[in-house]
Amino acid sequence: MASTVGSLGAAEAVLTPFAVAFTRPSPERLDVTIHPDNLLTAIRALVDESWGYLSAIIGIDRPAQPPAEGELQAEGAVEVLYLFCSGAAVVTLRINLPYSQAVIPTISGIAPTAMLYEWELREMLGVDVVGLRVTGHLILADEWPEGVYPLRKSFTGFNQAATVVKGA
Amino acid sequence: MTTDTNKFVIPIGPQHPALKEPANFEFWVDGEIVTGASVRLGYVHRGIEKGAEARTWTQNLYLMERICGICSHVHATAYTLGVEKLAGVAAPPRANAIRQLMGELERIHSHMLWLGVAAHEGGFDSLFMYSWRDRETVMDLLEKISGNKVHYSANLLGGVKFDITPELAAEIHKGLDFLEERNKFYLKVITTDETFIGRTRGIGTMTTEKAEFLGAIGPTARASGIARDIRVDAPYLIYDQFPVKVMTHTSGDLHGRFIVRINETFESIRVIREILDHLPGGELTTRVPRRIPAGEAVSRVEAPRGELLYFVASNGSEKPERVKVRTPSLCNWSTVLSLAIGLKLADMPMLLSGIDPCFSCNDRSVGLKSANQDPQIWSWEKLRQYGIEYYR
């Protein structure tokens, strides 16, 4: 098995044409920020190189900070992370999607295991995954209202104040 | 049963879809042969990832280990390792050795639980009863260490709560001797019993290429020849000092999945003995700050069902910004849906149990409400009485 440094180097070489920025959060990790338009080609490049396997797709809500006086409210975003693993090496492709443009293509045609993660992303964070051939709910109840995404920070429950946990 | 032109769709579940856990499957059949399959999950989704954002780092330790009653320790370990990375602290070697020891005891109890469930689904109830009776031995050992058979709660942020005394080590050795002998017997049964072989050999066969393509992980993948195990590929705790061998099989069928898990049990027994004989000295805990520095950490561990991945993000406060849990069972569902095609409907229970599916793994919403719909805390006795009344 290639060393972790070698694996990360190989991934960096493959992803350089698509990268907006590279970071190394820890010795075994390489984070690559890419433009959403390059998502499919970047992932196809990794898959064509047989670099590791898709381990997870993670969505993180990034709401905008409250505006300073006199300024307009900025738009929040959902950040989507695609984690690929090879041995100890972890490569993360990061894309940032403003709420108004929270649309991505499905990668399940390239990596079939993505389907469940993309379904969860759509349901829990409201990212529209174009081409995902599943309808209905995966996790949420059938009667769950449309347009309510529980993993958005703005969701604090129905008809109640923000969740307060005793002792927290 | 419903009909759609010439297609018969047989819905199974969510109540007891062969397993005592909720999922809904639709199998399309032509006579007895399955021609298509789909799954609906989420019946016991509990919103844990959202809940984590409202709790402190320490409270989340207890929340995370309640994701699963079978592999509670490995969840707590993955979470703890992620938080410790962010905090820039490392648990003492003795604590990591005890974490590893508990993790391998947990693997033994999980694999023996699975052996019983899988045997039961195949109609081998004697094997089910034997393996669950014998599994009590490892459950008792976990209880002797921690005071609990299920949620042992051994981890702390920065270490462990429980030490292994020489007396305890002797008891664990004795228990392991018994478990080793019993698992040798099980291995003999599954490799020699004609009826058992008839129900497992050549059933649900998955080639290495197909396992890779479908994203199989854990023992399911290893039974198809994929030598992938986080304990070896990216050693955590002290797996670098007390390594394990990756157990694989080339048959790729249900039979191979039995053999791999039993061999993994032997390997767990071996490594626990080694740890007990060379347990590092020193402290059990180190200090971890209440506020965790901002950042993100990925921690990966090998749960009994395969790779478990935690992504933990901090904004520098006392509570996490995001905790993402990618559990192993989720990865293996696509293998079942794909392998079902061409098999007989009667093979479905064993095929389902073959991946050792865990619905706590998948679903991570359980709410207890009284008749007037006010959420409340119920005592064990009240909950028990409610159960009796409900099913009367």
Side-chain angles (χ1 to χ4, degrees):
Chain A
M1 184 179 295
S3 70
T4 304
V5 175
S7 287
L8 292 176
E12 190 169 343
V14 169
L15 294 169
T16 295
F18 316 106
V20 175
F22 286 108
T23 51
R24 285 281 179 99
S26 59
E28 78 285 2
R29 286 177 58 200
L30 172 70
D31 281 17
V32 189
T33 306
I34 60 170
H35 192 278
D37 291 347
N38 290 328
L39 178 67
L40 275 179
T41 42
I43 288 179
R44 188 175 290 284
L46 272 183
V47 171
D48 287 349
E49 281 291 312
S50 300
W51 197 97
Y53 55 97
L54 177 70
S55 203
I57 300 176
I58 301 169
I60 311 171
D61 187 23
R62 306 280 193 200
Q65 296 300 313
E69 204 175 319
E71 286 183 11
L72 290 173
Q73 173 72 53
E75 187 182 20
V78 176
E79 192 177 16
V80 183
L81 278 50
Y82 295 79
L83 270 69
F84 286 81
C85 298
S86 175
V90 181
V91 167
T92 307
L93 299 179
R94 310 181 76 110
I95 57 172
N96 201 57
L97 304 168
Y99 291 155
S100 59
Q101 298 164 52
V103 183
I104 51 169
T106 179
I107 64 162
S108 57
I110 308 167
T113 51
M115 190 264 279
L116 284 172
Y117 309 137
E118 290 180 333
W119 200 350
E120 188 178 344
L121 189 68
R122 183 173 78 186
E123 192 163 288
M124 305 301 274
L125 280 150
V127 175
D128 184 10
V129 185
V130 176
L132 187 60
R133 291 191 299 174
V134 285
T135 54
H137 288 148
L138 171 69
I139 295 167
L140 298 176
D142 290 338
E143 63 273 20
W144 190 271
E146 285 294 317
V148 179
Y149 306 113
L151 279 180
R152 293 259 180 115
K153 298 285 183 187
S154 55
F155 178 77
T156 55
F158 295 109
N159 303 319
Q160 64 184 51
T163 308
V164 176
V165 177
K166 198 177 171 187
Chain B
M1 189 189 301
T2 58
T3 59
D4 173 16
T5 61
N6 294 321
K7 186 173 74 177
F8 280 85
V9 180
I10 300 187
I12 301 181
Q15 281 80 20
H16 293 192
L19 308 155
K20 306 294 178 280
E21 295 184 275
N24 172 250
F25 300 91
E26 285 191 346
F27 292 110
W28 312 337
V29 295
D30 179 3
E32 266 199 85
I33 305 298
V34 175
T35 58
S38 69
V39 62
R40 165 88 201 267
L41 306 170
Y43 294 95
V44 287
H45 189 264
R46 289 156 286 171
I48 283 179
E49 291 177 15
K50 183 74 172 178
E53 294 171 14
R55 285 164 173 80
T56 65
W57 293 101
T58 302
Q59 287 173 326
N60 276 319
L61 175 59
Y62 298 93
L63 182 65
M64 294 307 154
E65 67 188 2
R66 275 153 186 79
I67 285 178
C68 182
I70 301 173
C71 56
S72 64
H73 176 77
V74 79
H75 276 275
T77 302
Y79 171 76
T80 307
L81 289 173
V83 177
E84 288 170 1
K85 268 186 205 176
L86 284 174
V89 300
R94 190 175 180 86
N96 278 333
I98 292 171
R99 284 174 175 173
Q100 183 168 329
L101 181 144
M102 297 288 286
E104 293 305 323
L105 284 173
E106 184 173 77
R107 194 178 316 278
I108 295 171
H109 106 69
S110 180
H111 280 3
M112 291 182 75
L113 178 139
W114 170 82
L115 178 65
V117 172
H120 169 70
E121 300 304 343
F124 301 94
D125 277 354
S126 301
L127 183 54
F128 156 59
M129 286 185 261
Y130 273 150
S131 66
W132 278 37
R133 180 198 67 186
D134 298 339
R135 173 175 165 265
E136 286 298 307
T137 303
V138 66
M139 303 288 278
D140 288 343
L141 292 175
L142 287 161
E143 187 181 16
K144 280 175 182 162
I145 297 169
S146 69
N148 288 303
K149 280 188 171 200
V150 179
H151 287 297
Y152 349 105
S153 204
N155 277 296
L156 288 168
L157 295 179
V160 290
K161 289 178 196 160
F162 311 113
D163 201 2
I164 304 289
T165 62
E167 296 74 30
L168 207 45
E171 287 200 54
I172 297 171
H173 271 301
K174 194 176 158 193
L176 293 176
D177 291 345
F178 172 75
L179 290 165
E180 185 175 46
E181 183 195 322
R182 294 303 298 168
N183 275 281
K184 280 179 182 168
F185 170 67
Y186 301 145
L187 188 60
K188 187 179 168 195
V189 169
I190 68 161
T191 52
T192 56
D193 186 282
E194 271 188 42
T195 321
F196 190 88
I197 291 171
R199 288 226 57 187
T200 56
R201 193 168 281 171
I203 306 292
T205 304
M206 183 164 60
T207 62
T208 307
E209 295 72 29
K210 193 163 192 175
E212 282 277 10
F213 179 73
L214 295 172
I217 60 171
T220 307
R222 292 193 281 272
S224 290
I226 298 179
R228 188 180 291 158
D229 188 320
I230 301 300
R231 296 174 294 172
V232 175
D233 299 341
Y236 53 98
L237 299 176
I238 52 169
Y239 280 106
D240 53 347
Q241 293 172 48
F242 298 102
V244 292
K245 294 191 195 102
V246 183
M247 292 294 148
T248 58
H249 203 266
T250 52
S251 67
D253 55 7
L254 269 176
H255 196 240
R257 290 168 214 157
F258 277 86
I259 291 171
V260 162
R261 287 191 178 93
I262 293 180
N263 282 334
E264 287 189 1
T265 305
F266 291 133
E267 190 60 7
S268 293
I269 292 170
R270 184 194 63 73
V271 82
I272 294 169
R273 284 177 176 148
E274 209 171 300
I275 294 171
L276 288 172
D277 292 343
H278 304 91
L279 195 62
E283 299 295 319
L284 292 181
T285 57
T286 192
R287 193 174 171 78
V288 174
R290 188 180 164 97
R291 290 174 184 275
I292 301 298
E296 296 172 354
V298 175
S299 61
R300 299 157 67 206
V301 299
E302 189 69 23
R305 290 161 186 78
E307 179 186 345
L308 169 67
L309 184 147
Y310 267 62
F311 172 87
V312 186
S314 173
N315 52 20
S317 74
E318 294 176 0
K319 298 172 188 172
E321 175 75 9
R322 178 88 167 95
V323 179
K324 172 67 189 171
V325 185
R326 205 281 285 124
T327 55
S329 291
L330 206 60
C331 300
N332 283 328
W333 277 120
S334 54
T335 68
V336 172
L337 300 181
S338 174
L339 296 175
I341 296 166
L343 292 181
K344 290 180 179 166
L345 191 63
D347 290 323
M348 292 307 107
M350 277 197 91
L351 184 68
L352 290 174
S353 61
I355 64 164
D356 194 7
C358 176
F359 291 76
S360 301
C361 242
N362 296 321
D363 290 355
R364 283 154 283 135
S365 23
V366 175
L368 287 180
K369 290 189 175 181
S370 64
N372 62 11
Q373 296 297 298
D374 287 334
Q376 53 185 245
I377 297 169
W378 285 27
S379 67
W380 169 247
E381 187 51 41
K382 196 173 171 184
L383 186 61
R384 183 173 167 273
Q385 196 56 42
Y386 174 79
I388 292 168
E389 294 297 328
Y390 185 86
Y391 289 106
R392 194 186 292 278

